[in-house]
Amino acid sequence: MLGSIEAGGTKFVCGIGNEQGEVLERISIPTKTPDETIPEVIEFFKKRKVEAIGIGTFGPIDVKKSSPTYGHVLNTPKLAWQNYPFFQTVLDELQVPTGFTTDVNAAALGEYQFGAAKGLDSCLYITVGTGIGAGAVVNGELLEGLSHPEMGHIIVRRHPDDHFEGNCPFHKDCFEGLAAGPAIEKRWGKKGIEMTDRKEVWKMEAYYIAQALVQYIMILVPERIVIGGGVAHQESIFPLVRENVKSLLNGYFTHQELNENIADYIVAPGLKDNAGLVGGLVLARHALEEEE
């Protein structure tokens, strides 16, 4: 049995599963302070005797194993979690091999191994919701360097009709600052879920998402792009994004995936809302294999 922790801004989803990516049991715990949330997480796993744990968490986090603060949550807006030794705490309490990465990296791993990108050598997973983040798998490995990617904070061209100043506390009008859920709400005065039939909202959203995807395509050329998060539940966004991506690429790539077959290239998660949890199981398996 393997354990998985999907640590999100509003809730922790903890699951038990197997090497085939099957989630057999799960529990949801509200994200409060570490002193309130983590004991509940530990208790859940101690009762179930898992062989390894995979953690996919909100960030930013330190993923560099040679760093003295490896496994810490860094300068997150959630003040109680700043500098929290997440990885080490779980390792000390459960005493099993533990994998640690971002929530979007975990989701990318899940989709790569068992979801929409199964059988491919690379993929990119992006979540567009309360925030925007992305993770990439290249030749079977997570893309990490000095740190984990921060693909939500790239700079995009402003839509000609958009006069919203942006919502990112660091960059104002970066991709996340213009296209994440809170930006949609501040710009239009309503939550996205209340505006499903307003075409202008989703045309502008697709304009920004497509720009980001084109940059990722130019740099990483992944074999598939998976869009998750709350915005992905707005089904009308997918045709708009694909159309914008094709327009921006303007025939530069001749690959069918980026032209006539783009509907099979930019897709919704194959694992639906389970991508992060299943990715945690993959992380756990990797951690177990590294110990053997």
Side-chain angles (χ1 to χ4, degrees):
M1 288 292 99
L2 303 171
S4 175
I5 301 172
E6 184 180 12
T10 56
K11 64 183 177 182
F12 272 53
V13 181
C14 302
I16 305 293
N18 57 31
E19 291 188 357
Q20 288 72 49
E22 297 169 313
V23 178
L24 306 173
E25 185 183 355
R26 72 174 64 213
I27 186 176
S28 182
I29 299 166
T31 304
K32 298 178 181 175
T33 67
D35 290 342
E36 293 171 290
T37 302
I38 295 299
E40 288 189 59
V41 172
I42 299 301
E43 183 185 11
F44 173 77
F45 289 111
K46 276 189 172 175
K47 287 179 178 176
R48 285 152 184 85
K49 292 188 166 56
V50 295
E51 293 179 62
I53 291 271
I55 303 169
T57 177
F58 60 84
I61 57 174
D62 190 343
V63 295
K64 201 162 184 66
K65 290 185 178 179
S66 60
S67 167
T69 54
Y70 170 68
H72 283 56
V73 181
L74 301 176
N75 60 329
T76 174
K78 296 187 173 303
L79 299 180
W81 291 85
Q82 283 189 0
N83 304 311
Y84 179 68
F86 195 165
F87 166 81
Q88 197 63 47
T89 302
V90 172
L91 184 65
D92 291 346
E93 289 286 343
L94 296 176
Q95 297 287 307
V96 294
T98 302
F100 183 77
T101 193
T102 65
D103 46 4
V104 285
N105 271 354
L109 265 184
E111 288 294 326
Y112 167 76
Q113 200 79 50
F114 296 110
K118 185 177 180 181
L120 302 177
D121 291 323
S122 63
C123 74
L124 184 137
Y125 176 94
I126 176 171
T127 182
V128 184
T130 306
I132 296 178
V137 178
V138 181
N139 295 325
E141 298 288 337
L142 282 173
L143 180 66
E144 293 177 340
L146 187 64
S147 181
H148 52 83
E150 286 287 3
M151 297 193 221
H153 293 274
I154 63 173
I155 304 305
V156 290
R157 293 176 185 165
R158 181 177 286 277
H159 190 285
D161 299 329
D162 190 10
H163 305 293
F164 175 59
E165 67 173 359
N167 196 50
C168 175
F170 290 93
H171 317 114
K172 280 291 185 193
D173 60 354
C174 64
F175 179 31
E176 180 176 289
L178 291 172
I184 294 173
E185 184 177 355
K186 284 190 178 180
R187 177 189 291 110
W188 300 101
K190 286 184 180 179
K191 292 183 182 294
I193 199 167
E194 299 170 21
M195 299 185 290
T196 55
D197 57 346
R198 288 184 59 181
K199 291 182 180 178
E200 70 272 23
V201 173
W202 304 108
K203 281 184 176 179
M204 186 174 288
E205 183 70 7
Y207 178 87
Y208 288 127
I209 294 173
Q211 282 191 66
L213 297 192
V214 165
Q215 293 188 52
Y216 307 153
I217 290 166
M218 291 293 189
I219 296 166
L220 298 174
V221 283
E223 289 170 279
R224 187 152 296 153
I225 292 177
V226 183
I227 305 178
V231 169
H233 294 158
Q234 174 71 19
E235 289 183 10
S236 66
I237 199 81
F238 282 90
L240 293 169
V241 168
R242 293 170 188 138
E243 184 183 314
N244 274 275
V245 167
K246 282 177 70 175
S247 174
L248 287 166
L249 289 175
N250 199 29
Y252 187 75
F253 289 97
T254 57
H255 305 72
Q256 290 181 334
E257 293 89 340
L258 296 171
N259 292 283
E260 61 266 33
N261 293 347
I262 198 165
D264 298 323
Y265 180 77
I266 298 171
V267 299
L271 299 170
K272 298 189 165 48
D273 292 330
N274 279 338
L277 204 58
V278 172
L281 297 176
V282 178
L283 271 179
R285 191 187 73 203
H286 288 176
L288 193 59
E289 289 169 351
E290 286 175 8
E291 289 283 313
E292 291 173 350

